[in-house]
Amino acid sequence: MPDIAEVQVDPLRGYGEPVVRNVPTEVIAELIRAGETPESVAGMYELNRSLVDAAVRYELQRAAA
């Protein structure tokens, strides 16, 4: 699993799936793949742009593993 500090994998949060502030990284990455801008995704979930970037980076590294 990629080691990105902003992403948490905890069985008590998100059923053990990777999340940033309780938003699954997979959901964030899917929105970006669907054409949403990082800024709009950040606004949807009240996240910083850096957290959106970390989630996408995590999913890219996860897919490559």
Side-chain angles (χ1 to χ4, degrees):
M1 296 302 272
D3 186 25
I4 298 176
E6 296 89 352
V7 176
Q8 297 178 345
V9 179
D10 181 345
L12 300 176
R13 299 176 82 184
Y15 302 103
E17 292 298 315
V19 297
V20 289
R21 289 192 40 214
N22 294 324
V23 180
T25 57
E26 186 176 5
V27 169
I28 294 170
E30 181 61 31
L31 287 168
I32 298 296
R33 284 192 295 270
E36 293 289 339
T37 65
E39 291 80 12
S40 68
V41 174
M44 280 183 223
Y45 293 104
E46 298 180 0
L47 300 171
N48 293 330
R49 166 71 193 263
S50 64
L51 292 175
V52 172
D53 292 340
V56 171
R57 192 169 62 249
Y58 181 91
E59 286 297 323
L60 287 172
Q61 290 178 9
R62 186 177 178 187

